[in-house]
Amino acid sequence: MPGGRLTQQERQQIALGVADGLAYAEIARRLDRPTSTVTREVMRNGGPTAYRADLAHRATEHRTQRRRQTAPRDPKAPPQTDGRDTEAVREFEETFTTVLMGSGMPKMMSRVMACLCLTDSGSLTAAELARRLQVSPASVSKAVAFLDSQGLVRREADEGRRERYVVDDDVWYQSMMASARSIAQVAEIARQGVGVLGPGSPAAARLENVARFLDFVSESTARAAEQARDILHSKPDTAPGEPGPAGPASPASPETAPGVPGPANPL
């Protein structure tokens, strides 16, 4: 497997693959590169709809120059002591961060979320996050406030009365339910607009369709989250689709969930 940075020619091949709708894994196979390399490359340079090989190449050169000008990492940063490949973990954390950013999450919030998710404990203090990410405590505080508002982290006090930020088994469920509520609120506002604009007008008809669509999405999201919640508590040795040691079988997929029609082109 080749190492080193992507060449401009490889970036052009990535751009062609993305334009053709190829999966990142297929593009990576053709380049003989890890899938994570292609994923990170695309997501950090505009995403699949805006990726341009020449712009990505110039941006990478600019980032490389900036890294050379910055100070070395803090020697006090905690080393890996769990037998894991430090470079592989760092690369995966960068990929995870980049994909979170591609989903719409701001950069610092994505870095904090990825950092928390990659810890075995699932929790860190503000000081630990600041040290690991090499950022100011104020940046951590702002990022945590955002993640907390989205239901992605929760706060708890440790023995030293310091506040810890936690991502636990239920955090993704809570986030999905918060998303469903937010979508439902937009649907309700859209429906209010129908009365303001007058039934029968083109704008009102458009808003009514938007409200109906978002109602369905909100209800489906909440229903799917409820059905899949047990997956978040599955034991590592539980095979997908099999009953857990003390729990019910894994919930039905969206294609077979009662009352929820499956997508035409499931991912």
Side-chain angles (χ1 to χ4, degrees):
M1 183 179 296
R5 300 185 183 281
L6 290 167
T7 64
Q8 189 161 15
Q9 183 179 7
E10 286 177 316
R11 289 192 166 94
Q12 290 170 349
Q13 290 179 268
I14 290 174
L16 289 174
V18 170
D20 288 341
L22 297 180
Y24 294 150
E26 175 61 21
I27 298 173
R29 186 188 65 77
R30 296 184 181 188
L31 294 175
D32 195 20
R33 291 275 192 172
T35 302
S36 61
T37 298
V38 176
T39 303
R40 184 172 62 251
E41 168 68 15
V42 175
M43 298 307 297
R44 77 181 343 183
N45 290 291
T49 60
Y51 182 79
R52 300 291 182 274
D54 53 344
L55 296 179
H57 197 69
R58 287 200 293 269
T60 300
E61 290 179 340
H62 180 63
R63 283 193 294 266
T64 301
Q65 292 175 355
R66 283 194 306 175
R67 288 194 190 103
R68 289 171 180 167
Q69 295 170 0
T70 57
R73 291 181 65 84
D74 185 354
K76 295 181 181 179
Q80 292 284 347
T81 58
D82 48 21
R84 292 172 178 143
D85 183 330
T86 304
E87 183 59 24
V89 172
R90 185 203 63 77
E91 182 174 323
F92 176 74
E93 184 171 347
E94 186 176 346
T95 299
F96 193 10
T97 300
T98 303
V99 171
L100 289 174
M101 290 169 59
S103 73
M105 188 180 293
K107 181 177 181 179
M108 183 52 61
M109 292 65 171
S110 298
R111 293 188 67 197
V112 169
M113 188 67 187
C115 188
L116 285 169
C117 286
L118 267 60
T119 60
D120 287 325
S121 65
S123 71
L124 293 168
T125 64
E128 289 169 337
L129 280 166
R131 186 167 64 250
R132 285 171 179 256
L133 298 175
Q134 299 291 285
V135 297
S136 68
S139 295
V140 170
S141 178
K142 182 178 180 180
V144 168
F146 172 86
L147 294 171
D148 187 21
S149 71
Q150 300 299 307
L152 288 168
V153 301
R154 62 180 175 82
R155 304 165 187 257
E156 65 179 29
D158 64 11
E159 296 178 356
R161 300 185 68 181
R162 294 175 302 179
E163 194 170 58
R164 299 189 71 84
Y165 309 123
V166 182
V167 288
D168 58 17
D169 290 340
D170 244 11
V171 70
W172 297 102
Y173 165 78
Q174 297 295 345
S175 176
M176 287 298 100
M177 295 304 290
S179 176
R181 290 191 295 271
S182 178
I183 293 171
Q185 185 176 26
V186 176
E188 176 60 27
I189 293 299
R191 188 162 282 111
Q192 290 177 19
V194 174
V196 173
L197 297 172
S201 69
R206 186 183 309 116
L207 284 179
E208 176 60 32
N209 289 338
V210 168
R212 291 170 55 205
F213 170 78
L214 294 179
D215 278 340
F216 179 81
V217 171
S218 174
E219 293 168 7
S220 299
T221 299
R223 187 183 304 119
E226 289 287 357
Q227 292 172 335
R229 190 175 188 179
D230 285 345
I231 293 175
L232 294 168
H233 304 277
S234 298
K235 301 298 181 183
D237 57 352
T238 301
E242 294 182 359
S250 296
S253 67
E255 290 83 359
T256 59
V260 182
N265 295 297
L267 297 178

